[in-house]
Amino acid sequence: MSTPKRKYNGKDVDMLITSSTLIENALANKTFLQSKRSTWTDAFFDDLQSKITTALEEHLGVDSAKDLRQSTQTLISIQKQALKDLAEIKVQIAEDFKKDKTKQTEVLNQLGFTTYLKNAQKGDQEALVQLLYKFKTNLTASLKAEIVAKGTAPGILDQTAAYADTLKNADITQETFKGTRKEITTAGINAFNEIYEEVISIGKIASKFHKEEPVKQDLFSFTKINKTINAQRTSSTPTAK
């Protein structure tokens, strides 16, 4: 019998943790969701979460789905604050150095704003990670002193530089939480596909329920949660550009 084809792209562990995170978001918003859809009971979500945990443990050998999921949520929370702080820093630099365009451009380039900020603000998690590492690496004592002298509070600079390591320490990687490597069987792939299809449906419906609330919609975007997980892997091995 031929091996079934996966109905999703990327790594199995990423798909499962993305699914687990989306279901946790559904549970956190269950009162509203259950008022819209009667079949989405607590037992329904708990059962699906149990299937995901079983798939991780039995087919991938992952030791702690909870740790992976919590790390993902940590990253999502950090990235929102990081983007807010980065935007505040950028506008201050742009205004404080506007009389010296050469210096303004140099500082914004040096700290990664020119290359990465626009994509990071569009939800590109990898761009955010790259920006934070470039910011941390290039915020020398002398440059920091120049920026602070113009009026930017030193605390926000220190806090933003620290985000890079905080993201790295979130530690969402396949190897970190994997127990033993296992050969993926036909039963495993079938189980993965079943979970994926069910979670995708939940995400699409829940997103539509929150069509007037973009922030809430993101909680049910399989693609955006998955990008967050992939960005965390990138943050463990940053590259300079």
Side-chain angles (χ1 to χ4, degrees):
M1 185 172 65
S2 61
T3 302
K5 183 178 180 181
R6 288 170 173 78
K7 297 182 178 180
Y8 50 89
N9 297 318
K11 297 179 180 295
D12 298 325
V13 69
D14 288 351
M15 183 280 290
L16 291 170
I17 296 305
T18 298
S19 297
S20 183
T21 301
L22 194 150
I23 298 306
E24 281 296 301
N25 292 340
L27 283 166
N29 293 273
K30 66 180 183 180
T31 301
F32 172 72
L33 293 177
Q34 289 171 349
S35 73
K36 303 285 286 184
R37 192 168 172 84
S38 62
T39 55
W40 285 359
T41 63
D42 286 11
F44 170 80
F45 288 128
D46 288 342
D47 180 61
L48 184 50
Q49 196 68 283
S50 179
K51 287 180 182 178
I52 295 169
T53 298
T54 298
L56 282 161
E57 292 175 352
E58 293 186 357
H59 298 297
L60 292 181
V62 171
D63 293 327
S64 180
K66 182 180 179 181
D67 286 342
L68 280 166
R69 188 170 63 246
Q70 288 179 342
S71 293
T72 304
Q73 296 288 22
T74 297
L75 182 59
I76 292 171
S77 175
I78 292 168
Q79 74 188 23
K80 290 180 181 178
Q81 187 61 45
L83 284 169
K84 177 178 178 294
D85 289 350
L86 285 163
E88 290 182 8
I89 293 170
K90 186 194 173 185
V91 70
Q92 291 181 79
I93 291 173
E95 290 303 311
D96 290 339
F97 291 94
K98 67 182 179 182
K99 292 182 179 180
D100 185 346
K101 291 295 185 182
T102 300
K103 184 63 176 180
Q104 180 195 65
T105 300
E106 176 190 338
V107 174
L108 292 175
N109 281 336
Q110 196 171 345
L111 295 181
F113 289 106
T114 305
T115 306
Y116 300 113
L117 183 59
K118 186 175 291 185
N119 286 335
Q121 290 175 328
K122 290 179 179 178
D124 185 330
Q125 310 302 330
E126 184 174 345
L128 175 59
V129 171
Q130 296 289 354
L131 170 52
L132 289 172
Y133 269 100
K134 190 161 187 178
F135 184 95
K136 177 189 174 185
T137 300
N138 293 335
L139 186 68
T140 61
S142 59
L143 178 56
K144 179 182 174 183
E146 281 188 76
I147 296 172
V148 170
K150 291 286 189 178
T152 299
I156 195 172
L157 298 173
D158 294 335
Q159 177 172 291
T160 302
Y163 287 137
D165 284 337
T166 304
L167 295 183
K168 180 178 179 180
N169 292 335
D171 231 2
I172 306 174
T173 63
Q174 185 174 359
E175 273 58 45
T176 299
F177 292 100
K178 184 174 287 190
T180 58
R181 292 184 180 276
K182 295 187 176 184
E183 182 179 350
I184 307 302
T185 63
T186 294
I189 296 174
N190 285 334
F192 297 164
N193 283 338
E194 182 180 331
I195 289 168
Y196 173 74
E197 289 195 315
E198 192 160 9
V199 170
I200 281 293
S201 292
I202 292 169
K204 286 181 178 180
I205 295 170
S207 291
K208 187 63 68 174
F209 288 162
H210 290 96
K211 63 181 179 180
E212 304 299 330
E213 301 176 274
V215 174
K216 283 286 184 71
Q217 275 192 318
D218 287 352
L219 297 176
F220 303 101
S221 170
F222 188 95
T223 299
K224 289 186 177 181
I225 297 172
N226 188 251
K227 282 184 177 180
T228 299
I229 294 172
N230 287 323
Q232 176 56 36
R233 180 174 293 108
T234 302
S235 75
S236 297
T237 54
T239 56
K241 289 188 179 180

